[in-house]
DNA sequence: CGCTAGCTTGAGCCTACTCAACACGGGTGG
DNA sequence: CCACCCGTGTTGAGTAGGCTCAAGCTAGCG
């Protein structure tokens, strides 16, 4: 497998982030947000009480990472802008952290107690929290289906479809989407080796299922060929 | 892979279940429960509105199953007594169902609207619901870690450890635990072939990491040997 | 210019899948 | 009772897919 050691970046402290004007507050929850900006590879963790805080990715990409025995990294959950996640409550014993996958990832933090209090007083907010958790569950289940896939090429295919659908807000796919992560990150996300990721992508390209512009930009040509049976 | 087609059992309708005396009502939620008993392989689905109901396994084992192109079954989430799950909100397009893994699996159903109403009025119940969802999330994340494991033997090892810890309530492991599922089910749960599951178990036995009594009863001898690096 | 990080490609090996055969136990029906 | 079947589990032989190791290639940057 990869064995891609978690790269420790320059350790300047995360700096407070000024929310851009395009991000308008939408819900009662947003009043609680504290947005912070992280460098690539930097660990995302609030300064106040570690456990149970809610987070939302505002920009960039984050990943919940576990490090296995042997130094292999696994990205358990990949978080794109708009995705919520719960910090601190890691899978049991496994050493698990959340880190920024791309430079300048901005993450909003919602302190646990304040969320709890808001949920207790505001039924709408409570309902929204339940929707957030069900979105998390759906992501994880889809990831399980991808990981259970038979071959590497099918894993990559499903991954690309899922990413296209998750990235599609913003720029519609005239020229395809930009993969927001390196081959190494994809490998750690799909439990493959980097070489296999690269080979599968070139195979899909030669098959005519996708088109690659540079290394990061992907345009999906044949959706059916990427689906579970290709 | 397995290709173990979902076996269709005799289709008598699920019959109402009389809760045994040992199950005392513990929470406000339990007042909403309707317990039903299912035969092995039978699909678990409430007669009233399909989507969004809460469930809890009372006895037996249930599994959230997806069927891939090619007929392969994958058990996305394995549910033991005490585990909650949310019905209906399947992973997107994939045809997904919940079915009883062992004969006589009893499942309590909590109708969606009533749970919602209870959550809106009772902060304690709302908090408990949040705990249930975080338990679901933890299960799924651990499953992702297992599926991302390098070799089949490590997958099986982690699976056995996890099962031992989840089954440990009740009979402590004097003579080990009883695996509540067939090799086929384990294969579909870990995305392996049945033969590989069988081979890995015998390998672990010969290595002295586990002891097998018959086919279903497993006693874990060397916990460390089963952990991620063996 | 050299360095590094990211990406690709090749060669060889090893693991897990496939196909196949067989053992075993519990049904069911003659 | 035995014969038979079916579901389950194990084991073997051969194959194919992915990992490892290794080399080379590009782009960005000091």
């Amino acid at each position: 497998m990869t064995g891609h050691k978690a790269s420790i970046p320059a350790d300047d402290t995360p700096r407070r982030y000024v929310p851009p004007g395009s991000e308008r507050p939408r819900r009662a929850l947003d009043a609680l947000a504290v947005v912070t900006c992280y460098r690539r590879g930097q660990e995302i963790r609030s300064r106040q009480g570690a456990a149970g805080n809610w987070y939302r990715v505002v920009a960039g990409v984050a990943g919940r990472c576990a490090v296995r025995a042997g130094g292999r990294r696994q990205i358990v959950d990949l978080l794109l802008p708009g995705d919520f996640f719960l910090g601190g409550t890691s899978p049991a014993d496994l050493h698990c952290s959340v880190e920024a996958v791309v430079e300048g990832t901005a993450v909003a933090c919602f302190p646990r107690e304040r969320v709890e209090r808001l949920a207790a007083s505001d039924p709408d907010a409570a309902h929204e929290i339940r929707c957030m958790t069900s979105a998390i569950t759906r992501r994880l289940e889809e990831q399980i289906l991808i990981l259970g896939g038979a071959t590497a090429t099918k894993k990559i295919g499903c991954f690309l479809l899922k990413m296209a659908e998750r990235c599609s807000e913003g720029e519609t796919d005239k020229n395809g989407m930009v993969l927001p992560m390196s081959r190494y990150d994809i490998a750690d996300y799909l439990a493959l080796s980097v070489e296999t990721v690269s080979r599968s992508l070139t195979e899909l390209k030669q098959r005519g299922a996708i088109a690659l512009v540079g290394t990061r930009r992907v345009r999906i040509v044949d959706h059916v060929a990427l689906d579970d049976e290709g």
Side-chain angles (χ1 to χ4, degrees), chain A:
Chain A
M1 291 287 182
T2 318
H4 182 240
K5 305 294 188 302
S7 55
I8 310 295
D11 50 357
D12 45 354
T13 61
R15 59 190 188 282
R16 189 62 63 89
Y17 178 80
V18 181
S22 63
E23 283 290 329
R24 72 284 180 216
R26 296 170 306 175
R27 317 230 201 296
L29 261 177
D30 287 0
L32 309 179
V34 177
V35 179
T36 318
C37 193
Y38 297 88
R39 312 204 48 179
R40 178 178 185 196
Q42 200 172 7
E43 184 170 357
I44 294 171
R45 183 164 44 187
S46 67
R47 290 151 304 287
Q48 57 263 39
N53 288 343
W54 278 94
Y55 298 85
R56 187 184 65 217
V57 176
V58 175
V61 182
R64 299 179 56 82
C65 300
V67 179
R68 325 183 75 92
R72 263 186 56 209
R73 182 180 72 144
Q74 173 146 8
I75 298 181
V76 175
D77 194 8
L78 189 71
L79 305 149
L80 301 185
D83 290 337
F84 284 86
F85 63 97
L86 203 44
T89 61
S90 304
D93 34 10
L94 258 306
H95 177 264
C96 193
S97 67
V98 185
E99 60 182 57
V101 171
V102 304
E103 188 74 18
T105 295
V107 174
C109 176
F110 305 86
R112 194 182 70 87
E113 319 87 36
R114 305 187 59 181
V115 173
E116 296 271 342
R117 259 181 293 161
L118 178 61
S121 67
D122 182 348
D124 286 345
H127 181 262
E128 197 183 344
I129 290 175
R130 263 173 274 134
C131 291
M132 281 151 42
T133 56
S134 90
I136 294 176
T137 300
R138 194 168 344 111
R139 267 208 317 270
L140 294 176
E141 288 184 350
E142 291 176 349
Q143 182 62 10
I144 286 178
L145 284 177
I146 291 182
L147 285 176
T151 71
T153 309
K154 287 172 188 171
K155 281 187 184 179
I156 295 283
C158 291
F159 164 74
L160 290 177
L161 285 178
K162 197 88 35 195
M163 287 298 289
E165 134 191 341
R166 286 175 75 183
C167 292
S168 63
E169 299 117 27
E171 44 174 334
T172 33
D173 48 343
K174 40 197 72 172
N175 274 329
M177 62 175 165
V178 174
L179 285 180
M181 55 205 298
S182 72
R183 304 284 193 262
Y184 288 89
D185 293 324
I186 299 175
D188 291 346
Y189 186 45
L190 302 182
L192 296 171
S193 68
V194 207
E195 297 93 332
T196 302
V197 171
S198 182
R199 276 187 254 264
S200 296
L201 283 171
T202 56
E203 184 191 338
L204 288 175
K205 184 179 67 176
Q206 290 173 345
R207 225 190 261 172
I210 62 172
L212 289 174
V213 183
T215 58
R216 291 293 184 95
R217 184 168 284 274
V218 180
R219 189 164 49 86
I220 295 180
V221 178
D222 187 351
H223 285 255
V224 184
L226 294 182
D227 215 338
D228 202 279
E229 202 63 22

